[in-house]
Amino acid sequence: MSWDAEFTHYFDRCADSMRFTAFLLCGNHHEAEDVVQSAFLKLYLAGPKLAQREGLDAYLRQIVVRTFLAERRRVRWKREKLTDSLPEMPVAESLSEDKLVVWHALAAVPAKQRATLVLRYWHDLGVEETAAALGCSVGTVKSNTSRGLKALKQRLGPEFGELWQEVSRGARG
Amino acid sequence: MLEDELKKTFEELNIQPPPRTFSAVDIVHRGTRVKRRRRAYAVGATGIGTAAMVAVVVAFALNQPQGQNDNSPAGPPAPESATSTPVQTTTPGSTEPEDPTSSSEGPPPSTTRPPLQPTGTTTPRTTTTTTVTTIPSVGTTPPYTDTTRTESTTQIQQTSRPPQITTTR
């Protein structure tokens, strides 16, 4: 099987999950599509040089996260400058009110802390795996997780926990 | 608790993903273009590097001095002046006059020898090698007119005379 055919098969299998990961990282679908396309292009170029194809999922996830962080680092050098937030918010229609509050609060978390939260609580990665994906130490992953959750709590406010419990009770009843 | 809320939020977001706007064929086409462009850059850079290296080698070869390019075999080494130059020693015992032709036919074989060396070696030896071997007897007049010899005879005469005893009263 040639690399092109293998890549096409792998793309059809993993493109949606990686696109959603990029969406969680970026916060909007446009940027997520760019990040995923760049990541798949890097994977396609590096594929023939890969000795082992077993850990391709972890490798692609690492490419996506690092491409997202590189894009965020490059924002200040970009020629195009956004004067306002993007008008598209289709996510708001599919989310309940409490989830929407969490989603907006997550948008205010710094990029690296947000990437740590996504890898740990969406992909259920351990500390070591997250450190390997982000290219940092285990201690940095722990501190980023703690700071990210703290920033999220500050953004949501102290009454969010009580509100969340009431909403949960209402949904059960 | 907040972690659980995060997970549920993520799950809820994944329910209705929007359709994709690109496919694997697009990625493969872009990758092929990138590969072709990289190969063109590599070929061009290799050609430029090779041309630059050839230019440097040619420029270095042209800047070499022409005398060092002579490939003829090296000749025999020139005899040094200290070992092979014949020393003309004229002793006063041999009173034969120098043959003018023999002196003229004995130039040093080497042409690279500096011209001051043969004159400097031959001239002082004719004057400094004069030695006196016979001491004339007392009372005889020296038949020679050499000044050095007369001095030596007078000294001998003075020493060979018996001391005169002079008494002063």
Side-chain angles (χ1 to χ4, degrees), chain B residues 23-37:
Chain B
S23 64
V25 179
D26 300 331
I27 303 290
V28 170
H29 281 311
R30 281 182 62 189
T32 308
R33 280 204 306 269
V34 170
K35 279 182 181 177
R36 196 182 304 133
R37 192 167 60 236

Side-chain angles (χ1 to χ4, degrees), chain A residues 43-57:
Chain A
L43 178 69
Y44 175 76
L45 293 175
K49 292 179 276 187
L50 292 177
Q52 296 177 351
R53 305 276 169 82
E54 286 82 21
L56 218 53
D57 289 340

Side-chain angles (χ1 to χ4, degrees), chain A:
Chain A
M1 182 183 251
S2 68
W3 167 242
D4 286 1
E6 192 178 349
F7 175 79
T8 304
H9 178 71
Y10 182 75
F11 180 88
D12 292 337
R13 186 168 62 86
C14 298
D16 287 334
S17 65
M18 285 302 155
R19 198 162 60 106
F20 182 67
T21 301
F23 169 69
L24 292 183
L25 292 169
C26 301
N28 64 80
H29 284 290
H30 297 296
E31 193 179 353
E33 295 254 329
D34 292 342
V35 167
V36 170
Q37 281 194 47
S38 299
F40 271 109
L41 181 62
K42 291 176 183 176
L43 178 69
Y44 175 76
L45 293 175
K49 292 179 276 187
L50 292 177
Q52 296 177 351
R53 305 276 169 82
E54 286 82 21
L56 218 53
D57 289 340
Y59 183 52
L60 182 61
R61 190 169 52 232
Q62 177 177 322
I63 294 176
V64 168
V65 172
R66 292 190 182 186
T67 305
F68 159 70
L69 292 176
E71 285 291 325
R72 285 299 163 97
R73 234 179 284 128
R74 217 176 291 147
V75 162
R76 66 177 69 178
W77 305 108
K78 273 187 177 176
R79 289 184 180 176
E80 17 177 273
K81 299 198 173 186
L82 301 177
T83 55
D84 201 354
S85 59
L86 294 171
E88 178 220 23
M89 284 297 289
V91 178
E93 297 174 1
S94 62
L95 283 179
S96 59
E97 190 175 354
D98 53 338
K99 305 290 186 310
L100 188 61
V101 172
V102 173
W103 179 247
H104 283 300
L106 188 64
V109 176
K112 201 152 189 177
Q113 296 172 11
R114 180 176 174 138
T116 309
L117 292 178
V118 168
L119 289 176
R120 291 211 61 187
Y121 298 120
W122 173 244
H123 287 281
D124 287 332
L125 296 183
V127 180
E128 289 84 7
E129 292 170 322
T130 308
L134 289 172
C136 60
S137 65
V138 173
T140 306
V141 171
K142 289 178 181 175
S143 64
N144 276 339
T145 307
S146 172
R147 287 173 190 168
L149 289 175
K150 187 177 177 182
L152 208 54
K153 281 178 186 172
Q154 285 177 351
R155 186 79 180 180
L156 292 173
E159 63 271 4
F160 176 76
E162 299 170 3
L163 180 65
W164 165 247
Q165 287 177 357
E166 289 176 6
V167 170
S168 301
R169 282 181 211 136
R172 284 173 198 160

